[in-house]
Amino acid sequence: RIRDVDGLRSRLRLTSKDVGSAHCVWASDYEIRVLATTKRCAVLIYDMEALRRPNAFVRIEPEGGPDNAARRCVLLQRTRRQHYNLISFRSALALPWPPPAPVAALWRVDESSARQFVLSQPPAAAAAAA
């Protein structure tokens, strides 16, 4: 049982390598979106399970309109085993929003899309999903 915030933090830090996958905390798009909204942080995911490269770059931004706009972003790699790894960029784990140009280009973030506040994917991924 988790009794406090420190207990939750400890539980979230467990890895399947250390304790087995049954004891890990898993996240779906919904949980990631809630976290992004709560922390005002965009999440840029490189999905290694995507069949085509354009679909591999998924962007999840905070909901709630301009008052809850992202202030920073983090990069995650989703492995073929559905684990998430934190990616650093130039030794930084959290980046400003909008991100630096090389990152923005991969996730197709420009000034206008940086102002969107909903779960979004690059245009090619959205078209493939339709």
Side-chain angles (χ1 to χ4, degrees):
R1 256 180 88 162
I2 298 171
R3 300 187 189 279
D4 55 24
V5 172
D6 289 330
L8 177 61
R9 285 183 182 135
S10 294
R11 179 67 187 259
L12 291 173
R13 290 184 179 124
L14 296 177
T15 66
S16 62
K17 182 179 178 183
D18 296 331
V19 299
S21 62
H23 299 285
C24 291
V25 176
W26 296 88
S28 69
D29 288 352
Y30 172 77
E31 286 89 2
I32 294 171
R33 187 175 346 124
V34 168
L35 186 60
T37 300
T38 303
K39 296 298 182 180
R40 295 176 70 176
C41 180
V43 180
L44 305 178
I45 301 170
Y46 174 59
D47 188 351
M48 295 183 69
E49 283 195 333
L51 298 177
R52 295 187 342 206
R53 190 171 184 343
N55 299 344
F57 298 95
V58 178
R59 185 173 68 236
I60 300 175
E61 298 178 40
E63 292 183 330
D67 292 337
N68 201 46
R71 294 182 176 177
R72 61 192 171 277
C73 65
V74 294
L75 308 175
L76 298 177
Q77 172 199 44
R78 181 174 181 246
T79 69
R80 287 183 173 84
R81 294 176 294 152
Q82 300 181 359
H83 290 270
Y84 289 94
N85 297 316
L86 185 60
I87 301 171
S88 65
F89 179 77
R90 297 182 181 155
S91 301
L93 296 176
L95 303 174
W97 186 255
V103 174
L106 288 171
W107 276 271
R108 296 187 177 133
V109 176
D110 58 27
E111 277 303 314
S112 62
S113 66
R115 292 189 190 102
Q116 294 175 345
F117 310 108
V118 296
L119 175 67
S120 58
Q121 294 182 345

